Amino acid sequence: MITKETTTVTVDRLPGKALFGLFLAGFISILTECLPAGLLPEISQTLGTSVAATGQIVTVYALATALAAIPLSRLTSMWPRKYVLQLALGTVLVANALTALSTDYTLTMVLRFIAGLATGLIWPNLGGYAARLAPQRRQGRAIAIALAGTPVGLALGVPLGTWLGSIGGWELAFYASSALIALNMLWVLVTLPNLPGQSVAEDEHQLLRVLLIPGLRTILFALTAYMVAHNILYTYITDFLRYVGMSSQIGWVLFAFGVTSVLSVLLVGTHIDHHLRKLIVGSTVMFAVSVLVLAVLSGLPVLVYVAVAAWGFAFGSSPSLFIAGAINATGPAAHVAQSITITFFSGSIAIGGFIGGVLVDLDTELITCAALVLLIAAMVAVIGGKKHAFPRNA
């Protein structure tokens, strides 16, 4: 239900300034999660740990988000929405600033866990907030804009972190993210109406029923396999590039990934409503082929660039594709399905970071092999899910 407070703003058009504030909140959340991945060698030197152990600061963040998304959203469901968003953003701001000051591994892990908990409040809040700000006929577009910050953050998180780290050390990247959060909080303060909370009591027993909806489990399996594969590689991409003798080109390789990822978001977004199945199948196949090239032809730098660029294009729009699939499959229960999807999404990041760390300790080359096996499983699920998960008419 759209309140009087919002109808004065959104009767004729989308509230662009308010939606940009939500977009930026999503972007900052995933940026903070991915930021260390391009800086692991430098952070590990400061903390006095191995690259694999340092990579767990990505894992613990994602794990906290996965654990917090549903329970914290329910706990704060009756709180005014802007207060919840500002509290979460402020927590991430402080945690990031303290992370930049920390030289202790345990303290850094605790700070990252706290930041992840706060992100568990941000992500589930974005879609619902956007829908309530928009007129009925344009709510889907509003949700897409608000959630677009996540794939853009995924695309640019590691390249931005690596670039900032090259300028002023890894600490600069975290200070810069804190400054960006402060600007986001100011923008939210000025542009977002403080919508009242909504009771979720009626949803308390829906989680199991939603999981039993035909197609959703296939979507969640494909999402998990896809995202774990991505994060096994993405979290340790700098280590992989050093392994194949491309240390001096890390920044350019990550730039290629970021550019094609953003391009994917822009192009796929215009076709997602009418060609969802084709896009999700194409994304999974392209990602798998890219990893195959990285696994067997990494000795050729040109092909590494091509494979990483193709990987970026395949991956950039994948969060939107899987979320759209979950929404289509669950219909009236889509709001519950979104919370479940976010939990699986964050859990996959945590699992990928953990598995990647174990494999890197054994042999860096193993991360491409593990990712390829997972992507084959994802391909089977996506291609086979033509009845309920990703139907041919979608």
Side-chain angles (χ1 to χ4, degrees), residues 238-254:
T238 54
D239 200 61
F240 175 78
L241 292 173
R242 285 185 170 89
Y243 176 80
V244 299
M246 296 180 65
S247 299
S248 62
Q249 302 179 60
I250 290 174
W252 288 110
V253 173
L254 293 175

Side-chain angles (χ1 to χ4, degrees), residues 205-221:
H205 303 292
Q206 283 193 15
L207 289 177
L208 181 58
R209 290 201 296 270
V210 172
L211 285 171
L212 295 176
I213 293 176
L216 182 59
R217 283 166 293 172
T218 300
I219 293 169
L220 294 176
F221 173 81

